[in-house]
Amino acid sequence: MTPSTSHVPPSDDRGDLHDLMNRLRREGRPFALATVVRTISVTAAKAGAKAVIGPDGGIAGGWIGGGCARAAVLKAARESLVDGQTRLVSIQPEDLLKDLGVTPGEEKQGIRFARNMCPSQGTMDVFVEPVLPRPNLVVLGASPVAVALADLGPRIGFDITVCAPAEDQGLFPRANERIEGYALTVETAAQRYLVVATQGRGDQAALKAAVAVDADYIAFVGSRKKAAALKAALEKDGVDPGRLERIKAPAGLDLGAITPEEIALSILAEMLRVRRTGQRDASLLPSIAQT
């Protein structure tokens, strides 16, 4: 994506901007949407103007005015893509900021203030909203727990990637992506959560594939004893022990789960806790003993 650096309003209309946002969503690429929500006096952009901003702070499409407002908005956009939080930026002349008792860069009651240094001396409020890719739940295997995970995951905001043999793919009607076998993509823009739920069918191959890629969470559906045996076999096969330590086994919070659906729910609850707290190491989370 080549950011637009022109100070001239682009010719794209709002339909084109929506097309751009839809394309970025399909590609799983993060961006921020900046919307001018209020203007007072003379400003380059008027209420309703929008711009799509990439993680590097470049404007990919749209228009929110010239250099008087751009720096503060782009900074807010970059920050929003890091922490996932919205921002409201109020760009005002210096004398108005003094009247409010605030300084440029200060935040007060949820509003970040910035100074308008342009001769127009207008005021412009801009709402910045991060649009992040949906997290991806990668289910490796076609066990009953794997099927339950793929069914429940979309209900709490996960896209589903299924890694299973061709003859088992029909068990997963809600999958967003299908992989025959365990050839996982090395890099992805979205958060990725991997659950090996092979339960006796290709356990070692699936675990080896899972630890070979980066992920926010890697879990194995099975007992500690079985997981330990598989880790030992993988280490003997040359897998880095540091990568093996990332495996959470048994998978899931200790909810007393018994049925495949209950076990899947406990795993999703654990994933949600990791996701919401930003915790990358799930090894300290309580777990359930599975066989």
Side-chain angles (χ1 to χ4, degrees), residues 194-196 207 211 217-231 243-253 267 270 281-291:
L194 308 181
V195 180
V196 176
L207 266 181
V211 298
Y217 173 87
I218 301 175
F220 175 71
V221 179
S223 67
R224 288 187 180 87
K225 183 177 180 180
K226 186 174 184 179
L230 287 167
K231 289 180 182 180
R243 286 195 167 269
L244 295 173
E245 291 176 2
R246 300 159 58 208
I247 301 171
K248 172 65 172 59
L253 298 179
I267 295 169
E270 185 172 67
D281 180 7
S283 62
L284 299 180
L285 295 173
S287 58
I288 57 175
Q290 300 162 345
T291 58

Side-chain angles (χ1 to χ4, degrees), residues 68 91-93 115-121:
C68 305
I91 301 130
Q92 304 190 24
R115 182 172 58 181
N116 185 351
M117 300 180 64
C118 287
S120 64
Q121 293 294 286

Side-chain angles (χ1 to χ4, degrees), residues 12-20:
D12 294 347
D13 60 21
R14 291 189 181 183
D16 292 328
L17 197 62
H18 290 156
D19 290 342
L20 171 62

Side-chain angles (χ1 to χ4, degrees), residues 230-244:
L230 287 167
K231 289 180 182 180
L234 289 172
E235 185 172 353
K236 187 176 180 180
D237 196 33
V239 176
D240 181 359
R243 286 195 167 269
L244 295 173

Side-chain angles (χ1 to χ4, degrees), residues 59-75:
I59 295 181
W63 170 250
I64 51 168
C68 305
R70 184 173 301 223
V73 173
L74 297 187
K75 180 181 179 182

Side-chain angles (χ1 to χ4, degrees), residues 2 6 51 60 72 123 127 135 138 148 150 160 179 195 199 212 214 240 246 281:
T2 303
S6 171
T123 292
F127 182 69
V138 182
I160 304 297
I179 299 174
V195 180
Q199 294 187 279
D214 291 332
D240 181 359
R246 300 159 58 208
D281 180 7

